[in-house]
Amino acid sequence: MTPGNPLIAAIEAGGTKFNLALGTGPDGLRATARIPTTTPGETMAAVLAWLEQASLEHGPFAAIGVGSFGPLELDPAAPHYGYITSTPKPGWPFTDVAGPLQRRFGVPLGFDTDVNAAALGESLWGAGQGVDPLVYLTIGTGVGGGAILNGRTLHGILHPEMGHLQVPAPIGLSGEAVQCHCPYHDSCLEGFICGPALAARWGAPAESFAPDHPAWLSVADTLARGLVSILTILSPRRIILGGGVMHAPGLLPAVRDAVARHLNGYLQAPALLDPEGQYIVSPGLGDQSGLLGSIALGQQALAASR
Ligand code: ZN
């Protein structure tokens, strides 16, 4: 640890597991851990205990960064700042995540969505370096999107919830509109292309589908419609697609093709027209975008406190 690059505690809070790290960046990870997401009390107690032990072994940390599943309250002036709010995850609605960490450790804390954290990590150290605006989307157990604008994660009245973009329902093999799997919406991106939605539609887990399974062209088409909406609203200079579903061989090129098809020549930027180009890409940090981005959130909070 150098004075200019202090140790940061990073927490990537997910619906099935919390990933933890002490480190300074991609080349400076001192310790990592994975804690299953059970009840808020049990999980937060395990997080606090690990951070205390890790700081005894590796030295004190100067700030904490949290990238969490949401929805979240990100307004520091709001009474529930630092909370997970209206999540459908049982037991977790209105869970205070930032508060116990701040009370126990008393260091600056950065708090943002897991996907905004991932976007920040990719913009600093991954596939989005020097690219602004930047969008990061994950397609896995859920679908979420974060954005970097002018070097900061994008917030608004709440925060982006790109997984719930409204898209047309795909048409199934029987000619019927596919049923949306989202408990809140009747026609949203997550409800058609997240892992559980694919398993429900096709009757098997998505990771078991062969590369020529008809699911993939349908995923590519529906995802592309969502990406075209993102493109027309935010005009990002690059879109990074992460998450387990995107590990399917051939899916990324199929998404690029479908985006070009749905744009239909309307937007004429050279980067958009090159199907082999660097416009829609995989994460540069693999599956660590969110955890490393949480380090970056801690670094930003530390800088802002000085
Ligand atoms: Zn939805």
Side-chain angles (χ1 to χ4, degrees), residues 10 49 78 87 113 123 127 145 166 182 199 208 214 217 224 260 288:
T87 177
T113 63
S123 80
Q166 300 286 299
C182 175
S208 71
L217 278 180
Q288 289 204 302

Side-chain angles (χ1 to χ4, degrees), residues 218-259:
S218 180
V219 169
D221 191 78
T222 299
L223 175 53
R225 288 181 182 275
L227 295 183
V228 166
S229 293
I230 291 168
L231 223 154
T232 52
I233 293 167
L234 286 177
S235 203
R237 292 185 186 277
R238 187 168 294 158
I239 296 173
I240 299 172
L241 299 180
V245 170
M246 290 309 301
H247 291 163
L251 182 56
L252 185 62
V255 171
R256 290 182 182 132
D257 288 350
V259 166

Side-chain angles (χ1 to χ4, degrees), residues 27-246:
D27 301 321
L29 283 181
R30 302 295 173 80
T32 58
R34 181 174 289 198
I35 290 172
T37 308
T38 56
T39 65
E42 195 174 83
T43 304
M44 288 305 297
V47 168
L48 295 173
W50 186 85
L51 289 178
E52 281 196 341
Q53 185 59 35
S55 72
L56 285 177
E57 290 175 24
H58 299 278
F61 47 85
I64 302 171
V66 182
S68 177
F69 73 98
L72 307 176
E73 179 56 81
L74 298 180
D75 177 0
H80 288 110
Y81 169 72
Y83 279 56
I84 293 170
T85 58
S86 56
T87 177
K89 186 171 176 57
W92 284 81
F94 289 90
T95 293
D96 186 3
V97 175
L101 293 162
Q102 283 176 315
R103 286 191 291 276
R104 179 71 69 98
F105 298 108
V107 295
L109 183 141
F111 184 67
D112 215 319
T113 63
D114 45 6
V115 280
N116 263 345
L120 183 61
E122 288 290 330
S123 80
L124 289 174
W125 301 307
Q129 295 176 58
V131 180
D132 195 325
L134 174 71
V135 165
Y136 173 93
L137 219 72
T138 181
I139 301 99
T141 310
V143 176
I148 300 298
L149 187 61
N150 300 322
R152 311 288 298 185
T153 57
L154 178 62
H155 299 171
I157 189 167
L158 294 169
H159 48 74
E161 279 284 353
M162 300 183 200
H164 299 273
L165 266 168
Q166 300 286 299
V167 291
I171 303 302
L173 299 178
S174 61
E176 300 282 308
V178 171
Q179 181 123 22
C180 183
H181 199 255
C182 175
Y184 293 92
H185 309 124
D186 62 4
S187 201
C188 76
L189 191 59
E190 176 172 288
F192 295 125
I193 68 165
C194 71
L198 296 176
R201 176 178 170 189
W202 300 96
E207 50 274 24
S208 71
F209 300 169
D212 63 349
H213 192 289
W216 298 125
L217 278 180
S218 180
V219 169
D221 191 78
T222 299
L223 175 53
R225 288 181 182 275
L227 295 183
V228 166
S229 293
I230 291 168
L231 223 154
T232 52
I233 293 167
L234 286 177
S235 203
R237 292 185 186 277
R238 187 168 294 158
I239 296 173
I240 299 172
L241 299 180
V245 170
M246 290 309 301

